[in-house]
Amino acid sequence: LKLLQNVVDKPEEPKFRSIKATNATIKAKVLDCAGARAFLLAAGFAEDGDLLTLPSGDDAAQASCGAALAALKSHANDCSDAYFREVRDAKIMQAKADEAKLNEFGGFSRGIHNLRSSSSGKDAAPAASPPSPLPPPPLPAS
């Protein structure tokens, strides 16, 4: 994204219009990704030895780069939204499972703290009740 954004923001800067394919960071973060080189070529870059360059003064290449950036941002947003939906749905499913388990214990009044500590559900032994108080002392005889 940053490579294309720099070209769109500052088309007159020659340093943003060329990408060294041998640069270790560019290779690791961009070019080693499947389809990245083909994407850059479709965005208007041309291979020139170990460089990928965007022709200067070519309005069609500039427009193509802008369109590729917009498509890439849209795809990234769609993927981000899908991920957050998955996380939300997993949380909802967990909450429903917790609620169902609470209902097995008699509802929320039994407390959610019992839900996590019980491992065997209904068969779990109830908590021990406190010992009963001692009987009152006998009354003195008069």
PDB file of all heavy atoms in Angstrom, residues 76-100:
ATOM      1  N   ALA A  76      -8.316  -4.794   1.100  1.00  0.00           N
ATOM      2  CA  ALA A  76      -7.822  -4.837   2.480  1.00  0.00           C
ATOM      3  C   ALA A  76      -8.951  -4.539   3.468  1.00  0.00           C
ATOM      4  O   ALA A  76      -9.064  -5.192   4.510  1.00  0.00           O
ATOM      5  CB  ALA A  76      -6.681  -3.843   2.660  1.00  0.00           C
ATOM      6  N   ASN A  77      -9.798  -3.573   3.149  1.00  0.00           N
ATOM      7  CA  ASN A  77     -10.932  -3.251   4.019  1.00  0.00           C
ATOM      8  C   ASN A  77     -11.916  -4.416   4.093  1.00  0.00           C
ATOM      9  O   ASN A  77     -12.436  -4.724   5.166  1.00  0.00           O
ATOM     10  CB  ASN A  77     -11.651  -1.993   3.543  1.00  0.00           C
ATOM     11  CG  ASN A  77     -10.872  -0.731   3.845  1.00  0.00           C
ATOM     12  OD1 ASN A  77     -10.051  -0.698   4.749  1.00  0.00           O
ATOM     13  ND2 ASN A  77     -11.106   0.308   3.069  1.00  0.00           N
ATOM     14  N   ASP A  78     -12.168  -5.058   2.957  1.00  0.00           N
ATOM     15  CA  ASP A  78     -13.072  -6.212   2.946  1.00  0.00           C
ATOM     16  C   ASP A  78     -12.522  -7.348   3.804  1.00  0.00           C
ATOM     17  O   ASP A  78     -13.259  -7.980   4.565  1.00  0.00           O
ATOM     18  CB  ASP A  78     -13.305  -6.709   1.514  1.00  0.00           C
ATOM     19  CG  ASP A  78     -14.116  -5.731   0.682  1.00  0.00           C
ATOM     20  OD1 ASP A  78     -14.739  -4.806   1.261  1.00  0.00           O
ATOM     21  OD2 ASP A  78     -14.125  -5.885  -0.564  1.00  0.00           O
ATOM     22  N   CYS A  79     -11.229  -7.600   3.697  1.00  0.00           N
ATOM     23  CA  CYS A  79     -10.610  -8.655   4.503  1.00  0.00           C
ATOM     24  C   CYS A  79     -10.643  -8.305   5.986  1.00  0.00           C
ATOM     25  O   CYS A  79     -10.910  -9.169   6.829  1.00  0.00           O
ATOM     26  CB  CYS A  79      -9.168  -8.895   4.056  1.00  0.00           C
ATOM     27  SG  CYS A  79      -9.038  -9.687   2.442  1.00  0.00           S
ATOM     28  N   SER A  80     -10.396  -7.051   6.307  1.00  0.00           N
ATOM     29  CA  SER A  80     -10.437  -6.603   7.699  1.00  0.00           C
ATOM     30  C   SER A  80     -11.845  -6.750   8.268  1.00  0.00           C
ATOM     31  O   SER A  80     -12.029  -7.250   9.381  1.00  0.00           O
ATOM     32  CB  SER A  80      -9.989  -5.147   7.784  1.00  0.00           C
ATOM     33  OG  SER A  80     -10.118  -4.662   9.092  1.00  0.00           O
ATOM     34  N   ASP A  81     -12.845  -6.339   7.492  1.00  0.00           N
ATOM     35  CA  ASP A  81     -14.228  -6.477   7.944  1.00  0.00           C
ATOM     36  C   ASP A  81     -14.597  -7.937   8.166  1.00  0.00           C
ATOM     37  O   ASP A  81     -15.251  -8.278   9.150  1.00  0.00           O
ATOM     38  CB  ASP A  81     -15.193  -5.855   6.926  1.00  0.00           C
ATOM     39  CG  ASP A  81     -15.096  -4.333   6.875  1.00  0.00           C
ATOM     40  OD1 ASP A  81     -14.477  -3.743   7.787  1.00  0.00           O
ATOM     41  OD2 ASP A  81     -15.637  -3.745   5.915  1.00  0.00           O
ATOM     42  N   ALA A  82     -14.176  -8.808   7.257  1.00  0.00           N
ATOM     43  CA  ALA A  82     -14.475 -10.234   7.397  1.00  0.00           C
ATOM     44  C   ALA A  82     -13.820 -10.805   8.656  1.00  0.00           C
ATOM     45  O   ALA A  82     -14.436 -11.598   9.380  1.00  0.00           O
ATOM     46  CB  ALA A  82     -13.991 -11.002   6.158  1.00  0.00           C
ATOM     47  N   TYR A  83     -12.591 -10.389   8.940  1.00  0.00           N
ATOM     48  CA  TYR A  83     -11.904 -10.866  10.140  1.00  0.00           C
ATOM     49  C   TYR A  83     -12.653 -10.409  11.396  1.00  0.00           C
ATOM     50  O   TYR A  83     -12.883 -11.203  12.309  1.00  0.00           O
ATOM     51  CB  TYR A  83     -10.467 -10.352  10.167  1.00  0.00           C
ATOM     52  CG  TYR A  83      -9.785 -10.606  11.484  1.00  0.00           C
ATOM     53  CD1 TYR A  83      -9.360 -11.889  11.819  1.00  0.00           C
ATOM     54  CD2 TYR A  83      -9.593  -9.580  12.407  1.00  0.00           C
ATOM     55  CE1 TYR A  83      -8.755 -12.136  13.041  1.00  0.00           C
ATOM     56  CE2 TYR A  83      -8.991  -9.825  13.628  1.00  0.00           C
ATOM     57  CZ  TYR A  83      -8.576 -11.096  13.937  1.00  0.00           C
ATOM     58  OH  TYR A  83      -7.989 -11.343  15.153  1.00  0.00           O
ATOM     59  N   PHE A  84     -13.025  -9.140  11.440  1.00  0.00           N
ATOM     60  CA  PHE A  84     -13.719  -8.635  12.624  1.00  0.00           C
ATOM     61  C   PHE A  84     -15.096  -9.285  12.784  1.00  0.00           C
ATOM     62  O   PHE A  84     -15.554  -9.508  13.899  1.00  0.00           O
ATOM     63  CB  PHE A  84     -13.821  -7.115  12.598  1.00  0.00           C
ATOM     64  CG  PHE A  84     -12.517  -6.443  12.902  1.00  0.00           C
ATOM     65  CD1 PHE A  84     -11.929  -5.594  11.980  1.00  0.00           C
ATOM     66  CD2 PHE A  84     -11.851  -6.683  14.091  1.00  0.00           C
ATOM     67  CE1 PHE A  84     -10.717  -4.983  12.257  1.00  0.00           C
ATOM     68  CE2 PHE A  84     -10.636  -6.080  14.373  1.00  0.00           C
ATOM     69  CZ  PHE A  84     -10.063  -5.232  13.451  1.00  0.00           C
ATOM     70  N   ARG A  85     -15.752  -9.628  11.663  1.00  0.00           N
ATOM     71  CA  ARG A  85     -17.022 -10.366  11.750  1.00  0.00           C
ATOM     72  C   ARG A  85     -16.798 -11.742  12.343  1.00  0.00           C
ATOM     73  O   ARG A  85     -17.591 -12.217  13.164  1.00  0.00           O
ATOM     74  CB  ARG A  85     -17.654 -10.482  10.367  1.00  0.00           C
ATOM     75  CG  ARG A  85     -18.553  -9.328  10.032  1.00  0.00           C
ATOM     76  CD  ARG A  85     -19.351  -9.613   8.750  1.00  0.00           C
ATOM     77  NE  ARG A  85     -19.342  -8.397   7.980  1.00  0.00           N
ATOM     78  CZ  ARG A  85     -18.563  -8.124   6.940  1.00  0.00           C
ATOM     79  NH1 ARG A  85     -17.742  -9.031   6.483  1.00  0.00           N
ATOM     80  NH2 ARG A  85     -18.608  -6.974   6.339  1.00  0.00           N
ATOM     81  N   GLU A  86     -15.727 -12.416  11.939  1.00  0.00           N
ATOM     82  CA  GLU A  86     -15.410 -13.743  12.491  1.00  0.00           C
ATOM     83  C   GLU A  86     -15.168 -13.666  13.987  1.00  0.00           C
ATOM     84  O   GLU A  86     -15.658 -14.507  14.744  1.00  0.00           O
ATOM     85  CB  GLU A  86     -14.164 -14.319  11.819  1.00  0.00           C
ATOM     86  CG  GLU A  86     -14.394 -14.904  10.458  1.00  0.00           C
ATOM     87  CD  GLU A  86     -13.118 -15.506   9.895  1.00  0.00           C
ATOM     88  OE1 GLU A  86     -12.319 -16.080  10.661  1.00  0.00           O
ATOM     89  OE2 GLU A  86     -12.922 -15.404   8.665  1.00  0.00           O
ATOM     90  N   VAL A  87     -14.415 -12.664  14.418  1.00  0.00           N
ATOM     91  CA  VAL A  87     -14.135 -12.496  15.850  1.00  0.00           C
ATOM     92  C   VAL A  87     -15.434 -12.229  16.600  1.00  0.00           C
ATOM     93  O   VAL A  87     -15.690 -12.826  17.654  1.00  0.00           O
ATOM     94  CB  VAL A  87     -13.113 -11.360  16.073  1.00  0.00           C
ATOM     95  CG1 VAL A  87     -13.002 -10.997  17.539  1.00  0.00           C
ATOM     96  CG2 VAL A  87     -11.752 -11.757  15.516  1.00  0.00           C
ATOM     97  N   ARG A  88     -16.271 -11.344  16.066  1.00  0.00           N
ATOM     98  CA  ARG A  88     -17.553 -11.031  16.704  1.00  0.00           C
ATOM     99  C   ARG A  88     -18.431 -12.274  16.791  1.00  0.00           C
ATOM    100  O   ARG A  88     -19.015 -12.564  17.841  1.00  0.00           O
ATOM    101  CB  ARG A  88     -18.275  -9.933  15.914  1.00  0.00           C
ATOM    102  CG  ARG A  88     -19.624  -9.550  16.514  1.00  0.00           C
ATOM    103  CD  ARG A  88     -20.543  -8.902  15.524  1.00  0.00           C
ATOM    104  NE  ARG A  88     -20.820  -9.829  14.431  1.00  0.00           N
ATOM    105  CZ  ARG A  88     -21.203  -9.458  13.229  1.00  0.00           C
ATOM    106  NH1 ARG A  88     -21.338  -8.193  12.926  1.00  0.00           N
ATOM    107  NH2 ARG A  88     -21.456 -10.348  12.297  1.00  0.00           N
ATOM    108  N   ASP A  89     -18.519 -13.020  15.705  1.00  0.00           N
ATOM    109  CA  ASP A  89     -19.359 -14.219  15.694  1.00  0.00           C
ATOM    110  C   ASP A  89     -18.857 -15.263  16.685  1.00  0.00           C
ATOM    111  O   ASP A  89     -19.652 -15.936  17.343  1.00  0.00           O
ATOM    112  CB  ASP A  89     -19.431 -14.806  14.289  1.00  0.00           C
ATOM    113  CG  ASP A  89     -20.198 -13.911  13.316  1.00  0.00           C
ATOM    114  OD1 ASP A  89     -20.876 -12.966  13.784  1.00  0.00           O
ATOM    115  OD2 ASP A  89     -20.106 -14.143  12.098  1.00  0.00           O
ATOM    116  N   ALA A  90     -17.537 -15.391  16.808  1.00  0.00           N
ATOM    117  CA  ALA A  90     -16.971 -16.343  17.781  1.00  0.00           C
ATOM    118  C   ALA A  90     -17.331 -15.918  19.206  1.00  0.00           C
ATOM    119  O   ALA A  90     -17.668 -16.765  20.047  1.00  0.00           O
ATOM    120  CB  ALA A  90     -15.463 -16.432  17.623  1.00  0.00           C
ATOM    121  N   LYS A  91     -17.289 -14.622  19.483  1.00  0.00           N
ATOM    122  CA  LYS A  91     -17.658 -14.131  20.812  1.00  0.00           C
ATOM    123  C   LYS A  91     -19.133 -14.374  21.095  1.00  0.00           C
ATOM    124  O   LYS A  91     -19.507 -14.745  22.207  1.00  0.00           O
ATOM    125  CB  LYS A  91     -17.344 -12.637  20.938  1.00  0.00           C
ATOM    126  CG  LYS A  91     -15.878 -12.335  21.077  1.00  0.00           C
ATOM    127  CD  LYS A  91     -15.638 -10.840  21.196  1.00  0.00           C
ATOM    128  CE  LYS A  91     -14.161 -10.518  21.292  1.00  0.00           C
ATOM    129  NZ  LYS A  91     -13.937  -9.065  21.390  1.00  0.00           N
ATOM    130  N   ILE A  92     -19.980 -14.173  20.091  1.00  0.00           N
ATOM    131  CA  ILE A  92     -21.418 -14.410  20.259  1.00  0.00           C
ATOM    132  C   ILE A  92     -21.672 -15.885  20.528  1.00  0.00           C
ATOM    133  O   ILE A  92     -22.449 -16.238  21.421  1.00  0.00           O
ATOM    134  CB  ILE A  92     -22.199 -13.922  19.014  1.00  0.00           C
ATOM    135  CG1 ILE A  92     -22.187 -12.393  18.957  1.00  0.00           C
ATOM    136  CG2 ILE A  92     -23.633 -14.444  19.037  1.00  0.00           C
ATOM    137  CD1 ILE A  92     -22.730 -11.824  17.666  1.00  0.00           C
ATOM    138  N   MET A  93     -21.001 -16.768  19.780  1.00  0.00           N
ATOM    139  CA  MET A  93     -21.179 -18.198  19.986  1.00  0.00           C
ATOM    140  C   MET A  93     -20.723 -18.605  21.382  1.00  0.00           C
ATOM    141  O   MET A  93     -21.373 -19.418  22.041  1.00  0.00           O
ATOM    142  CB  MET A  93     -20.419 -18.994  18.915  1.00  0.00           C
ATOM    143  CG  MET A  93     -21.081 -18.957  17.567  1.00  0.00           C
ATOM    144  SD  MET A  93     -20.165 -19.798  16.254  1.00  0.00           S
ATOM    145  CE  MET A  93     -19.749 -21.343  16.980  1.00  0.00           C
ATOM    146  N   GLN A  94     -19.620 -18.035  21.864  1.00  0.00           N
ATOM    147  CA  GLN A  94     -19.126 -18.342  23.201  1.00  0.00           C
ATOM    148  C   GLN A  94     -20.113 -17.850  24.254  1.00  0.00           C
ATOM    149  O   GLN A  94     -20.383 -18.552  25.233  1.00  0.00           O
ATOM    150  CB  GLN A  94     -17.744 -17.709  23.433  1.00  0.00           C
ATOM    151  CG  GLN A  94     -17.153 -18.036  24.790  1.00  0.00           C
ATOM    152  CD  GLN A  94     -16.906 -19.531  24.981  1.00  0.00           C
ATOM    153  OE1 GLN A  94     -16.376 -20.182  24.093  1.00  0.00           O
ATOM    154  NE2 GLN A  94     -17.284 -20.056  26.111  1.00  0.00           N
ATOM    155  N   ALA A  95     -20.672 -16.661  24.056  1.00  0.00           N
ATOM    156  CA  ALA A  95     -21.651 -16.128  25.008  1.00  0.00           C
ATOM    157  C   ALA A  95     -22.903 -17.000  25.047  1.00  0.00           C
ATOM    158  O   ALA A  95     -23.452 -17.259  26.126  1.00  0.00           O
ATOM    159  CB  ALA A  95     -22.012 -14.691  24.645  1.00  0.00           C
ATOM    160  N   LYS A  96     -23.338 -17.484  23.896  1.00  0.00           N
ATOM    161  CA  LYS A  96     -24.510 -18.369  23.860  1.00  0.00           C
ATOM    162  C   LYS A  96     -24.209 -19.696  24.544  1.00  0.00           C
ATOM    163  O   LYS A  96     -25.056 -20.240  25.252  1.00  0.00           O
ATOM    164  CB  LYS A  96     -24.959 -18.598  22.421  1.00  0.00           C
ATOM    165  CG  LYS A  96     -25.669 -17.401  21.827  1.00  0.00           C
ATOM    166  CD  LYS A  96     -26.153 -17.689  20.427  1.00  0.00           C
ATOM    167  CE  LYS A  96     -26.882 -16.486  19.860  1.00  0.00           C
ATOM    168  NZ  LYS A  96     -27.413 -16.739  18.526  1.00  0.00           N
ATOM    169  N   ALA A  97     -23.007 -20.225  24.336  1.00  0.00           N
ATOM    170  CA  ALA A  97     -22.631 -21.473  24.993  1.00  0.00           C
ATOM    171  C   ALA A  97     -22.561 -21.282  26.505  1.00  0.00           C
ATOM    172  O   ALA A  97     -23.034 -22.136  27.269  1.00  0.00           O
ATOM    173  CB  ALA A  97     -21.284 -21.967  24.465  1.00  0.00           C
ATOM    174  N   ASP A  98     -22.010 -20.145  26.944  1.00  0.00           N
ATOM    175  CA  ASP A  98     -21.963 -19.852  28.382  1.00  0.00           C
ATOM    176  C   ASP A  98     -23.362 -19.725  28.963  1.00  0.00           C
ATOM    177  O   ASP A  98     -23.644 -20.224  30.052  1.00  0.00           O
ATOM    178  CB  ASP A  98     -21.172 -18.567  28.646  1.00  0.00           C
ATOM    179  CG  ASP A  98     -19.681 -18.734  28.438  1.00  0.00           C
ATOM    180  OD1 ASP A  98     -19.225 -19.883  28.277  1.00  0.00           O
ATOM    181  OD2 ASP A  98     -18.970 -17.701  28.440  1.00  0.00           O
ATOM    182  N   GLU A  99     -24.250 -19.075  28.219  1.00  0.00           N
ATOM    183  CA  GLU A  99     -25.628 -18.908  28.694  1.00  0.00           C
ATOM    184  C   GLU A  99     -26.332 -20.251  28.794  1.00  0.00           C
ATOM    185  O   GLU A  99     -27.059 -20.526  29.762  1.00  0.00           O
ATOM    186  CB  GLU A  99     -26.397 -17.974  27.761  1.00  0.00           C
ATOM    187  CG  GLU A  99     -27.794 -17.659  28.245  1.00  0.00           C
ATOM    188  CD  GLU A  99     -28.521 -16.685  27.333  1.00  0.00           C
ATOM    189  OE1 GLU A  99     -27.890 -16.079  26.450  1.00  0.00           O
ATOM    190  OE2 GLU A  99     -29.744 -16.556  27.517  1.00  0.00           O
ATOM    191  N   ALA A 100     -26.119 -21.120  27.816  1.00  0.00           N
ATOM    192  CA  ALA A 100     -26.731 -22.447  27.855  1.00  0.00           C
ATOM    193  C   ALA A 100     -26.213 -23.236  29.053  1.00  0.00           C
ATOM    194  O   ALA A 100     -26.980 -23.925  29.738  1.00  0.00           O
ATOM    195  CB  ALA A 100     -26.446 -23.191  26.558  1.00  0.00           C
TER     196      ALA A 100
END
